[in-house]
Amino acid sequence: MRSPVGELKLVASGRGLTAILWENDVPTRVRLGEMHEETAHPVLVEAERQLTEYFGRERTAFSLPLDFRGADFQKRVWQELLTIPYGETRSYGDIARRLGNAQACRAVGAANGRNPISIVAPCHRVVGSNGKLTGFAGGLEAKAFLLRLETGADEEPFALR
């Protein structure tokens, strides 16, 4: 689908949305398994509709079946991303503490970087402990755009440092 942050490829399984891939995504970043091209898949149609509403500032929460594929720790991190409210941010340390291991910041960062369902599982809401924007599969410009979209800011509240 076309979006303000570039072309996005939506991927679904029989159980739900499996991935939202960026235009220049690294093919090995997420585990997909076998894929079939089917643009009329009901989950894909609904995901595109909800993403369009999100980009139009008409939607602040997604209601889609999700089919996360990854290691158990990664899935725990991705589930935790779903608890970050629209327009707010958390640090990697915040997430590590919520998972019960304050020392797991780097592991949280690694799992965050492999989040297969970007935007819906809002890894863009995770920032460094100093508030700086850090790595993002869609690029830091896209991350800053998504945060501005959610805060309603027309200016650049999130510096690309």
Side-chain angles (χ1 to χ4, degrees):
M1 74 172 275
R2 293 183 195 272
S3 82
V5 290
E7 189 92 6
L8 301 173
K9 182 171 189 165
L10 310 179
V11 182
S13 71
R15 294 190 314 215
L17 188 64
T18 303
I20 297 176
L21 303 175
W22 299 91
E23 205 167 340
N24 298 314
D25 223 326
V26 177
T28 58
R29 186 179 68 80
V30 299
R31 270 190 232 179
L32 292 176
E34 187 175 333
M35 292 191 324
H36 302 281
E37 296 290 328
E38 182 187 343
T39 56
H41 190 291
V43 171
L44 298 178
V45 171
E46 183 60 15
E48 184 171 358
R49 185 184 72 76
Q50 290 188 29
L51 284 163
T52 299
E53 291 173 354
Y54 168 80
F55 288 120
R57 289 186 170 149
E58 300 167 11
R59 174 175 289 277
T60 60
F62 293 95
S63 177
L64 295 164
L66 304 179
D67 182 13
F68 285 117
R69 296 184 180 185
D72 289 343
F73 180 78
Q74 290 174 322
K75 290 178 185 177
R76 287 180 56 216
V77 170
W78 302 333
Q79 286 296 323
E80 191 61 34
L81 297 176
L82 297 171
T83 70
I84 304 172
Y86 180 89
E88 294 185 23
T89 59
R90 299 291 183 268
S91 71
Y92 297 99
D94 292 336
I95 294 172
R97 283 187 289 282
R98 294 221 3 132
L99 294 174
N101 184 353
Q103 305 304 312
C105 296
R106 287 181 190 229
V108 166
N112 201 53
R114 292 196 171 269
N115 172 21
I117 311 176
S118 297
I119 305 171
V120 172
C123 51
H124 61 277
R125 296 180 191 156
V126 182
V127 298
S129 59
N130 58 4
K132 291 182 182 178
L133 298 189
T134 57
F136 185 61
L140 292 183
E141 292 290 340
K143 184 172 188 166
F145 174 87
L146 294 170
L147 292 171
R148 283 194 311 274
L149 175 79
E150 293 186 9
T151 60
D154 293 324
E155 298 173 14
E156 183 76 38
F158 298 95
L160 303 178
R161 301 175 238 199

